[in-house]
Amino acid sequence: MGHRLRFTARKLARMVLLLLGVSLTAFLLMNASPLDPLQTNVGQAALGAMSPEQIARLEEYWGVNTPAAERYLRWLGDALRGDFGISLLYRQPVLEVIGQRLSNSLWLMASAWVLSGALGLALGVLAGTRRGRWPDRLVRGYCLVISSTPSFWLALLLLMVFSVWLGILPIGLAVPIGAEHAGVTLLQRLRHAILPALTLSVTGVANIALHTREKTADVMERDYILFARARGETAIVRRHVLRNVALPALTLQFASIGEIAGGSVLVEQVFSYPGLGQAAVSAGLGSDMPLLLGITVVTAAMVFGGNLAADLLYGVIDPRIRRGAAGT
Amino acid sequence: MKNRRGRALFLLLIAIGLLCAVTVAGGLLAGSAEFADFSRKNLPPCLAFPFGTDRMGRDMLARALAGLSLSIRIGAFTAVISGAVALLLGTASALLGGPVDAAISWVIDLVMGVPHILLIILISIACGKGTFGVVAGVALTHWPSLARLLRGEVLQLKQAPYIQMARRLGASWGRVLWGHFLPHLLPQFLTGMILQFPHAILHEASVTFLGFGLPPDQPAIGVILEESMAYLSTGRWWLALFPGLSLALTVALFALLGERLRLLLSPVRSQE
């Protein structure tokens, strides 16, 4: 037990250090930006019409004159106490904005994560057990097509077919236009989330399917499979293949959280879905540095959390590691 | 064309030829991609304009080709840069070991911890957006996976008996690097780099689509698709369909090229 605890503690410490690194890198990148927040948000014409005092006040609001190191340390100190600052565009605390947006995005990302994982695993095993035959060719072809397709273009196509031509699904947003917050039903929310979730799931399949295929084909050539066949076993896939393939697939799936988060940025933009990704784009375009910094840190935390979960699950699921840990 | 290697080589050459043709054609068509003629605006696809025309009467075929050419050139440039970074950091990490290795591994974890799109957006903002921003962003985000792969390879090679033997026999490090490491690493490096092309191209288009990349006056695929969004609900499907499709085909061609090259360069399969 002590071994496992130490392992977890070491991983956690590394994760905290990485998060610090991410926040510092993101901060430095934003700080290096030559884009003037006043120019992008207020506009040249309006700036020209303003008095120097007004401009000075705006500069203070966007933090133009404070030194970078001081700003970062102040931000870090506040962030450790749970205060990520005020979003300049939404004029709300950053954590509140992120919370609202994340609750919208989490639906999408979770369903896409589960769907793409299950589908990818199934397709990978299917292709791997029938290597060289038509199911394999079909799956490989699908993976090539889908990994070559820009996800935002796929989103555009789906939007065109289902919302414009067939008119059976809404064209964007998370709730019907003009609906009151309290009056929105679960069904309406689901209908708005179908297309974005579908796009994200479909594009997420390729990676895991191809890896599982490799691994399955590898397992199928082992002696124990030959032996199982010789004994006349029928459930070879369930008993031998799945057990060996599930672990790497699980690791891969946890590692894919970053990709799904990245994909959601594009997909949410096409569907005008008010999620975290869309907020990141608006924050980037509008020089809302506190919000962009907050989103980067939160997203990185999700990615590192996923990796940590994979490391820990490995110990729980894999009997070899479990027994090895118990033995020491 | 008798065996698989012959076929692979044949397909490889065709893919390279096609991509070169698109690059050159796009470069030559840059003028007509910008040419606006309001007497022929919003035409659906027809014989004279197979991809249709947009709201300013610009030929979408020319625009798509010019965009692809731009994509391929940016993709090639960024993939080569990130490949070089990966080679440098990956081998340095494995050969120097110790604190250097720890530091480089940490940076790799760091870069992999932020989704590519988000990191490219951040770098692009740091460089003031525009062409330079997106090129820097894509070039600086794609190296970690290849660097990790090369690091693993070099670590393994360092322990390999024949390398140890060469050292004991008095071969200098330079000779070992040149004579033993390079022939082993080159195929891995080349295929790894070419397999980065598709990612680089897709990410460039995505970031441009979001508004952090190439400026709107360039006929980039991301710009074209971003413009097409406004006409989706009015049924001008050709504005989005063909440019996106041609981008997907280009990316698939690069992916196939990488796969075939891997098949050709892999010593395990040299007898097929």
Side-chain angles (χ1 to χ4, degrees):
Chain A
M1 209 53 223
H3 171 86
R4 286 280 290 288
L5 270 180
R6 242 184 335 223
F7 176 75
T8 313
R10 220 177 39 232
K11 289 274 170 191
L12 264 177
R14 190 177 170 81
M15 186 176 143
V16 169
L17 214 64
L18 278 169
L19 270 180
L20 269 179
V22 166
S23 71
L24 182 62
T25 313
F27 181 86
L28 288 178
L29 283 173
M30 289 178 207
N31 194 51
S33 172
L35 301 172
D36 182 4
L38 264 66
Q39 293 268 2
T40 41
N41 286 292
V42 185
Q44 188 64 45
L47 269 184
M50 277 182 193
S51 66
E53 294 91 65
Q54 278 174 313
I55 292 182
R57 219 180 314 144
L58 275 177
E59 276 183 343
E60 196 187 336
Y61 180 65
W62 258 285
V64 174
N65 294 324
T66 327
E70 194 189 325
R71 255 186 303 152
Y72 177 70
L73 287 178
R74 212 188 285 166
W75 176 87
L76 189 64
D78 286 347
L80 288 178
R81 267 177 268 126
D83 175 13
F84 278 63
I86 307 281
S87 160
L88 304 174
L89 285 178
Y90 297 92
R91 300 195 177 245
Q92 283 172 346
V94 165
L95 272 189
E96 239 169 70
V97 179
I98 291 181
Q100 284 167 8
R101 295 306 185 111
L102 197 59
S103 69
N104 283 337
S105 285
L106 227 45
W107 277 76
L108 285 191
M109 296 208 274
S111 52
W113 191 70
V114 172
L115 262 177
S116 65
L119 201 65
L121 187 68
L123 286 180
V125 170
L126 181 79
T129 48
R130 290 164 183 74
R131 191 153 82 152
R133 285 190 275 161
W134 65 264
D136 182 29
R137 282 162 186 259
L138 219 61
V139 170
R140 264 191 309 165
Y142 169 78
C143 289
L144 176 69
V145 167
I146 220 64
S147 56
S148 310
T149 307
S151 56
F152 61 97
W153 180 65
L154 190 68
L156 281 175
L157 284 192
L158 288 175
L159 203 58
M160 234 154 38
V161 172
F162 288 101
S163 305
V164 180
W165 280 357
L166 301 176
I168 49 175
L169 286 170
I171 198 157
L173 305 176
V175 294
I177 295 174
E180 275 187 44
H181 185 68
V184 181
T185 61
L186 185 66
L187 191 69
Q188 283 173 328
R189 278 185 173 276
L190 277 180
R191 265 169 55 87
H192 281 82
I194 287 179
L195 280 184
L198 186 71
T199 318
L200 268 183
S201 328
V202 165
T203 48
V205 165
N207 203 2
I208 184 159
L210 283 180
H211 274 86
T212 307
R213 172 186 171 273
E214 277 304 291
K215 188 81 191 154
T216 306
D218 194 39
V219 168
M220 288 302 279
E221 299 197 335
R222 295 294 178 83
D223 287 343
Y224 55 78
I225 297 287
L226 190 67
F227 184 54
R229 280 220 175 108
R231 276 186 317 201
E233 273 191 44
T234 45
I236 289 179
V237 168
R238 186 169 56 84
R239 279 194 183 162
H240 300 286
V241 175
L242 267 186
R243 285 184 162 224
N244 280 300
V245 165
L247 267 182
L250 202 68
T251 319
L252 203 66
Q253 192 57 10
F254 271 105
S256 77
I257 289 179
E259 264 167 66
I260 290 196
S264 75
V265 174
L266 289 160
V267 170
E268 283 174 7
Q269 189 68 12
V270 174
F271 290 105
S272 338
Y273 192 88
L276 200 62
Q278 206 212 15
V281 174
S282 335
L285 289 175
S287 302
D288 186 350
M289 297 311 174
L291 183 58
L292 192 55
L293 193 55
I295 291 177
T296 309
V297 171
V298 167
T299 314
M302 278 162 49
V303 173
F304 293 139
N307 291 344
L308 185 70
D311 283 337
L312 295 182
L313 270 181
Y314 234 96
V316 175
I317 294 177
D318 192 333
R320 282 165 304 186
I321 296 184
R322 197 167 54 212
R323 264 173 232 144
T328 48
Chain B
M1 299 317 115
K2 281 191 196 105
N3 52 27
R4 287 185 63 179
R5 287 180 68 80
R7 265 211 314 278
L9 190 64
F10 183 63
L11 280 172
L12 192 75
L13 290 178
I14 288 188
I16 292 177
L18 261 175
L19 289 171
C20 287
V22 168
T23 315
V24 172
L28 293 178
L29 282 170
S32 60
E34 294 299 311
F35 178 70
D37 180 353
F38 287 89
S39 66
R40 56 176 211 210
K41 63 183 182 184
N42 299 327
L43 290 177
C46 55
L47 266 183
F49 304 105
F51 283 18
T53 59
D54 69 356
R55 66 183 194 289
M56 287 155 77
R58 291 177 295 193
D59 181 5
M60 289 309 286
L61 177 62
R63 280 178 74 70
L65 277 174
L68 285 181
S69 168
L70 207 58
S71 284
I72 293 174
R73 276 177 285 159
I74 290 183
F77 183 66
T78 50
V80 167
I81 290 192
S82 66
V85 174
L87 183 66
L88 197 73
L89 292 186
T91 46
S93 184
L95 287 180
L96 299 178
V100 178
D101 185 25
I104 292 178
S105 298
W106 192 77
V107 173
I108 290 178
D109 279 350
L110 188 76
V111 175
M112 284 182 135
V114 185
H116 276 167
I117 292 281
L118 208 51
L119 193 56
I120 299 175
I121 289 178
L122 283 172
I123 296 179
S124 178
I125 289 177
C127 299
K129 299 179 188 169
T131 311
F132 179 68
V134 70
V135 167
V138 177
L140 292 179
T141 47
H142 284 71
W143 56 270
S145 50
L146 185 58
R148 192 175 269 179
L149 184 92
L150 292 174
R151 173 178 173 271
E153 278 301 318
V154 174
L155 275 182
Q156 223 172 32
L157 272 183
K158 234 167 66 170
Q159 300 299 325
Y162 71 93
I163 301 273
Q164 306 269 332
M165 186 80 90
R167 286 288 295 154
R168 291 289 161 83
L169 288 176
S172 66
W173 264 122
R175 201 192 145 111
V176 171
L177 279 179
W178 180 255
H180 294 305
F181 277 73
L182 195 70
H184 196 93
L185 285 181
L186 199 63
Q188 303 253 11
F189 172 66
L190 275 182
T191 46
M193 194 170 73
I194 290 192
L195 285 174
Q196 284 192 346
F197 276 46
H199 292 280
I201 291 176
L202 283 181
H203 277 127
E204 179 269 308
S206 308
V207 171
T208 302
F209 175 78
L210 291 176
F212 295 95
L214 302 177
D217 58 318
Q218 294 270 4
I221 299 287
V223 172
I224 294 175
L225 289 177
E226 206 281 323
E227 281 176 1
S228 81
M229 285 262 287
Y231 303 96
L232 263 190
S233 50
T234 50
R236 286 184 212 151
W237 50 272
W238 61 89
L239 292 179
L241 180 66
F242 295 122
L245 193 63
S246 55
L247 180 70
L249 282 176
T250 308
V251 173
L253 219 50
F254 268 116
L256 277 178
L257 204 145
E259 288 299 326
R260 298 291 156 189
L261 195 67
R262 171 144 65 190
L263 193 74
L264 280 176
L265 291 180
S266 159
V268 183
R269 313 185 82 161
S270 61
Q271 303 302 321
E272 279 184 8

